Structures are given as structure tokens and as C-alpha cells.
Amino acid sequence: MAENEDGQEKTEEPTQKRLDDAREKGDIPRSKELATMALLLASIAAAVVFGAHMVTVLSGVIRYNYVLERASIFDVNLMMTHLGTSALEAFRGLLGFFAMVLLAALISPIALGGWNFSSKALAPKFNRMNPFSGIKRMFSMKSLVELLKALAKFGLVGTFGVLSLWKIHNDLLQLGTSDVVVAMGDAVELLMWIFLMMCIALVIIAAIDAPYQLYEYSKKLKMTLQEIKDEMKNSEGKPEVKGRIRQLQREIAQRSMMGDVPDADVVITNPTHYSVALKYDNDVREAPIIVAKGADFVALKIREIAKEHDVPLLASPALARAIYYSTEVGEEIPTGLYNAVAQVLAYVFQLKRAKSPSGAKPEKPRDADMEIPNELRRDE
């Protein structure tokens, strides 16, 4: 099991942030064997597609160089022109093959890990110039594993190479006795056969190396529980800081809420544990809205502010609890509480008229007379 510098076991899968950081540094999974295999396969495919064309063009170049007029042989000035024409014609014949192989060379390295460009990966790492660190890497377990892998690859590829040459050695010997054009075609065919055999060896190696590289990459980026906790603290903030921020947000919201209590039409209380302040403006809203609510100390503060500004207080425990638990500040009351709240507002408006000399004091609505649906009712 992998361990970090503190001796803790790295048992957790890497987080997305750790993966992104590694990618930003240019640390992504790569398989050289997969890239080599793809390059060799592309070479075989290019030889199949452009082989006949290459033989035709190259045979023409050979004929052009060996069939010369006497005057051209003794004309020194024509030699460079002759060489340039031959090189240009040969390049034209091999252009398709080169283009296909170049495309494979560009695409194959990103088959595992995807495309990634990192300026940090280009920066010089002076710690790698330390000879003692280099010696330590040379005799590390990773170096031993790489040595064993190299020997295994050499043995496998060498075996396939020897078998391929043994199978076609008679054909190779016959090339020297064949016509030049025929020999070139046969040589391309034999070369494709050797490439194919070598590619089979590389397919086996790549099939083993690609999953191994992914495993090693994931193992290298594994994290301890403490590293995950530290990352969460750094990305989301320390719990005590977040708690303080939430406390300040609540205080700001309460101060804003308390500033709306003087404009309320009525404050309904529990009477001690809950307080909700309602306001109704039929020109703006179809239903009353809750402008402030609170429990315990906040409820007491709402009642104090209401008394200071002559906002009517009404003790209705069932209705106060129903509004407190079903409605947030700034929202309209639920339709199920319309009748109960209408009775309260009617009482408040009657109470305001009762302050005139001719007004009669209204009777307070009782909880028993208020219609509160069971789904909105909250018992003590």
C-alpha cells in the first residue's frame, strides 16, 4: 500500500482537483509502447496504400540516375541539378507515406491521457540535476521494474524478429537475383511482413503496458484521508471561518428583518416561543406576506420592536406555529391559512377603528375558531 511522507496509507481515490492539478503540471498517463505500436501499424497501412506508388516513383528515380547521356556524365554543372530533381521526385513518391506516419506520430501519444499542453512541464527542474538524486533513482524499485520491462520487451520483440527473418530468409536471398523493379516490389512486401510480425509483438506489449500505466498513475495520485480533509479546507474554507460567515449573514438578515417590523400590520405570537409579523397591502399583493419571524430570543426582539411602534400583538399559538413553519420571510402565506389570517386582520382593522371615541372594542379571535389545515398545523 502506498504511503505519504507522514507514513499514512494512501487508500482514497484522487479527487477531481488533484487530477486537474496533476494535469496542469503535465502529469498525465502515457504509454510509449502504445504509441510505438500505433506508429508501426500506421507504417504498415501506409505501405499498403502507397506501396505500389512508391515502387513506381522510386524505380523511375533509379532509372533516371543510371540511364544518362554521355554529355550529361561529363557536365559537372548538371550534377547538382540532377541530384535536386532526383531528391524532389523521391520526396513526391514518399510524401503520402510520410504524411500518414506523421499523423499517427501526432495522434498516438494522446490516445492515453488525451491532449494536454502545460508550460509548467517545460520549466527546468534543477532538482533533477542533483547527482545523488539521480543515483537514487537509478537503484530504485521503479528503475528495477523498468529494467525488467525493457528486457521482457527486448526478448519478445527479438523473438518475433528472429522468427520473421527465419521464415523469409530464402526470399531475402532471392532479391539479389531478381530484376530491380521486381525486387523492389518484393522487398516492400517482405518489409510489410516483417512490420506485421513486429506489430503483433508490440500489440501484446501495449495491451499489458496501457492498463499498467493507468494503474500506476492512479496509484501515484491516491490520497490519504487527511489530504482529502486538507484539500476540502483549502478549497471551501475552514469550518470555523465558514461558521463565522454564516453567523454574520444571519445577523445581517435579522437586522434587515427587524427593520421591517415597524411597518407590519400585526405580530402573531405563540406567545413566548414564536413571533411572526404580517403585512397586507391589497394594491401590491393578493395575500398577506410575512416580513419577519423568529423563535425564542428573536421572537422576543420582534415583540419588543412591535410594542415600541404600536404594532398590534395577538397571541395565537396554533396560527403562529403554522405560519412560522410553512412560510419564509418575504413570502405570501399559504392559501390554507387565508381564512385564519383574514380573521386576525379583521380584528386588527377593527381594533384601529376602536381607538376613535365612537369605536367599540372588538372581540379577539380564538384559536378554536380558526381554520388551520392538518398539514399546516404544528403542535408543541
Side-chain angles (χ1 to χ4, degrees):
M1 187 69 69
E3 297 181 352
N4 68 350
E5 295 178 354
D6 298 329
Q8 297 180 350
E9 291 185 352
K10 295 184 176 183
T11 57
E12 307 303 314
E13 293 297 325
T15 61
Q16 187 60 44
K17 182 179 183 303
R18 188 175 181 90
L19 292 173
D20 293 341
D21 291 344
R23 193 173 188 86
E24 185 179 351
K25 296 176 182 177
D27 186 6
I28 53 178
R30 286 284 187 253
S31 174
K32 293 184 290 185
E33 318 308 330
L34 184 63
T36 305
M37 180 203 70
L39 195 60
L40 193 56
L41 282 174
S43 301
I44 297 173
V48 171
V49 175
F50 301 103
H53 176 68
M54 287 190 299
V55 169
T56 302
V57 173
L58 293 178
S59 61
V61 171
I62 293 175
R63 188 179 298 108
Y64 176 70
N65 283 278
Y66 282 95
V67 181
L68 298 173
E69 295 180 359
R70 179 179 178 82
S72 299
I73 296 176
F74 293 99
D75 190 348
V76 180
N77 296 326
L78 290 178
M79 297 305 295
M80 292 304 298
T81 304
H82 200 84
L83 178 62
T85 303
S86 301
L88 183 61
E89 188 67 15
F91 178 75
R92 183 182 67 82
L94 297 173
L95 182 60
F97 179 87
F98 288 157
M100 198 165 179
V101 173
L102 177 62
L103 185 63
L106 294 175
I107 296 177
S108 58
I110 65 175
L112 193 69
W115 169 260
N116 185 54
F117 177 79
S118 173
S119 58
K120 293 183 178 180
L122 299 176
K125 296 180 176 61
F126 297 103
N127 60 335
R128 292 184 176 272
M129 300 176 64
N130 187 340
F132 296 103
S133 300
I135 294 174
K136 184 178 180 181
R137 287 195 298 269
M138 287 174 59
F139 295 98
S140 64
M141 181 59 67
K142 183 177 180 181
S143 298
L144 179 60
V145 172
E146 292 297 325
L147 176 62
L148 295 176
K149 283 171 54 182
L151 292 175
K153 288 187 291 186
F154 175 78
L156 185 60
V157 174
T159 300
F160 273 79
V162 170
L163 292 176
S164 301
L165 291 175
W166 179 258
K167 183 176 180 60
I168 63 173
H169 73 281
N170 291 328
D171 297 327
L172 287 174
L173 294 175
Q174 291 178 2
L175 290 178
T177 61
S178 302
D179 180 74
V180 174
V181 176
V182 176
M184 290 180 63
D186 292 341
V188 171
E189 184 178 346
L190 293 175
L191 187 63
M192 289 174 55
W193 169 256
I194 295 174
F195 273 13
L196 183 60
M197 293 298 293
M198 302 297 288
C199 191
I200 293 175
L202 290 177
V203 166
I204 298 173
I205 295 173
I208 298 173
D209 185 67
Y212 175 76
Q213 294 299 332
L214 291 174
Y215 167 76
E216 281 293 309
Y217 183 75
S218 176
K219 179 182 176 182
K220 180 177 66 174
L221 294 184
K222 277 184 178 292
M223 306 172 67
T224 64
L225 288 173
Q226 186 60 43
E227 287 175 338
I228 293 179
K229 293 178 182 179
D230 293 340
E231 183 181 289
M232 292 180 63
K233 287 182 180 180
N234 293 332
S235 59
E236 300 179 6
K238 295 183 178 180
E240 55 269 22
V241 176
K242 292 171 63 179
R244 178 57 179 165
I245 292 174
R246 286 195 294 267
Q247 181 183 356
L248 292 174
Q249 291 173 340
R250 286 195 298 268
E251 291 176 356
I252 294 173
Q254 287 180 5
R255 284 196 294 268
S256 176
M257 180 179 68
M258 295 301 180
D260 294 331
V261 173
D263 297 327
D265 292 318
V266 63
V267 173
I268 305 174
T269 65
N270 190 36
T272 55
H273 294 297
Y274 302 98
S275 293
V276 291
L278 301 179
K279 181 177 178 60
Y280 178 53
D281 187 348
N282 57 358
D283 295 331
V284 179
R285 298 269 189 169
E286 296 182 357
I289 63 171
I290 180 170
V291 296
K293 75 173 186 176
D296 299 326
F297 175 77
V298 179
L300 177 62
K301 189 65 177 178
I302 291 174
R303 291 195 295 273
E304 291 178 356
I305 296 175
K307 289 179 182 178
E308 292 175 2
H309 295 85
D310 295 325
V311 177
L313 295 171
L314 176 66
S316 178
L319 183 58
R321 291 195 299 269
I323 296 175
Y324 180 88
Y325 284 107
S326 64
T327 315
E328 297 299 329
V329 175
E331 295 180 352
E332 295 182 356
I333 62 171
T335 55
L337 299 178
Y338 278 5
N339 290 335
V341 173
Q343 295 180 51
V344 173
L345 293 177
Y347 165 74
V348 170
F349 296 146
Q350 292 174 12
L351 191 63
K352 291 180 179 179
R353 288 197 298 269
K355 293 182 179 180
S356 61
S358 59
K361 188 174 182 180
E363 182 180 355
K364 290 184 178 181
R366 299 179 303 172
D367 270 7
D369 298 331
M370 294 184 182
E371 297 180 6
I372 300 177
N374 292 331
E375 64 271 14
L376 296 176
R377 187 178 291 273
R378 295 293 187 274
D379 296 329
E380 288 287 2

